[in-house]
Amino acid sequence: MASTYNKIGIIGAMAEEIDLLHKHVQTSVSFEKAGITYVEGTLHGRPVIFCKSGVGKVNAAVCTQLMIDAGVDCVLFTGVAGAVDPSLNIGDIVVSTTCLQHDMDCTPLGFARGQVPYQDVWEYEADSRLIELALDACDRLFPGRSVRGKVLSGDQFVASREAVRLLHEELNGACTEMEGAALAQVCAMNDTPFVVIRAMSDKADGSAHVNFSEFTVEAAVNSHRIIDDMIQRM
């Protein structure tokens, strides 16, 4: 399939995942900016830049803008998340349709929850081709374990059953994490295609500290396999 994605940006949330990219990307150069190390090279013959973002929306936003400034044509973000859709189980994968900041809350001023005041768009749509590439990879690698859905982001680790219920019922979220919507907003501001791919590490219900640590390594391997498959078919 022909592609307009000439240089691909890959952002990982986990050190384990970045370690796998170091092993498989043929590196040509690396550089550091704003405390983040970016590595350029090729993966399956395609030019890529990858890095670890760090935790939270500010880190994700800075990281994404610098990656776009370095010339990427699309951004792929992978990592783990807490499931808020009760039909999702640990190990299931959410491919973003849209991303929304659940902790952006100016409702006392008459704005909807998640709405960035005075902006026309605050729910950011992922690129349709990247969504399909991700879902196709998931169907081959992890059949029956992937869905498309809304990714909710906020600078908080959600571990309350009541908070989970509200995120699902009020915002129709599939999962919650701490970076995706910030990345999505930066990509939208730069007209850069993106997709967020999240493996469910927990049910965001108070048992996160147990499940998260157990699942981290497995999630890193699974995320790498999805990205690797996508890039092969771009």
Side-chain angles (χ1 to χ4, degrees):
M1 182 190 301
S3 172
T4 56
Y5 310 132
N6 297 316
K7 183 181 285 189
I8 302 155
I10 307 167
I11 301 177
M14 297 174 291
E16 292 85 355
E17 185 178 353
I18 297 304
D19 289 343
L20 287 169
L21 285 167
H22 275 292
K23 292 178 181 177
H24 292 89
V25 171
Q26 293 181 299
T27 303
S28 59
V29 66
S30 64
F31 61 94
E32 184 173 321
K33 198 162 188 179
I36 300 168
T37 300
Y38 298 82
V39 180
E40 292 193 52
T42 59
L43 182 60
H44 300 295
R46 313 257 338 165
V48 299
I49 302 178
F50 69 90
C51 68
K52 181 167 75 74
S53 63
V55 175
K57 293 191 299 179
V58 173
N59 278 329
V62 170
C63 172
T64 304
Q65 186 61 60
L66 291 173
M67 187 166 275
I68 291 171
D69 290 345
V72 301
D73 300 300
C74 68
V75 179
L76 316 178
F77 188 98
T78 63
V80 296
V84 297
D85 183 336
S87 69
L88 291 170
N89 294 305
I90 294 172
D92 288 347
I93 298 160
V94 172
V95 176
S96 66
T97 51
T98 62
C99 296
L100 178 75
Q101 298 177 63
H102 68 77
D103 63 346
M104 174 62 72
D105 190 351
C106 293
T107 51
L109 300 178
F111 298 98
R113 183 177 177 184
Q115 181 176 1
V116 181
Y118 314 115
Q119 292 197 4
D120 294 332
V121 177
W122 58 89
E123 187 169 328
Y124 308 102
E125 293 187 4
D127 180 70
S128 60
R129 282 188 64 197
L130 293 177
I131 292 171
E132 294 307 319
L133 280 167
L135 288 170
D136 286 349
C138 291
D139 286 345
R140 271 193 298 279
L141 297 168
F142 313 105
R145 301 301 302 274
S146 63
V147 299
R148 61 182 77 209
K150 184 190 294 185
V151 173
L152 303 178
S153 305
D155 283 323
Q156 52 194 238
F157 199 103
V158 177
S160 154
R161 287 182 174 85
E162 179 61 15
V164 167
R165 184 184 67 80
L166 293 174
L167 290 176
H168 182 57
E169 294 180 1
E170 291 185 4
L171 298 178
N172 194 32
C175 65
T176 180
E177 37 87 298
M178 301 176 74
E179 294 86 25
L183 171 145
Q185 182 174 352
V186 172
C187 284
M189 293 169 72
N190 287 274
D191 197 26
T192 299
F194 77 92
V195 70
V196 175
I197 304 161
R198 290 287 192 174
M200 301 303 100
S201 61
D202 59 85
K203 303 280 282 186
D205 61 0
S207 62
H209 64 288
V210 177
N211 297 328
F212 183 85
S213 58
E214 292 176 351
F215 187 67
T216 298
V217 174
E218 181 183 344
V221 173
N222 292 350
S223 296
H224 176 78
R225 291 179 66 193
I226 294 167
I227 293 295
D228 192 74
D229 185 275
M230 291 176 68
I231 290 176
Q232 285 187 64
R233 292 180 297 109
M234 278 184 174

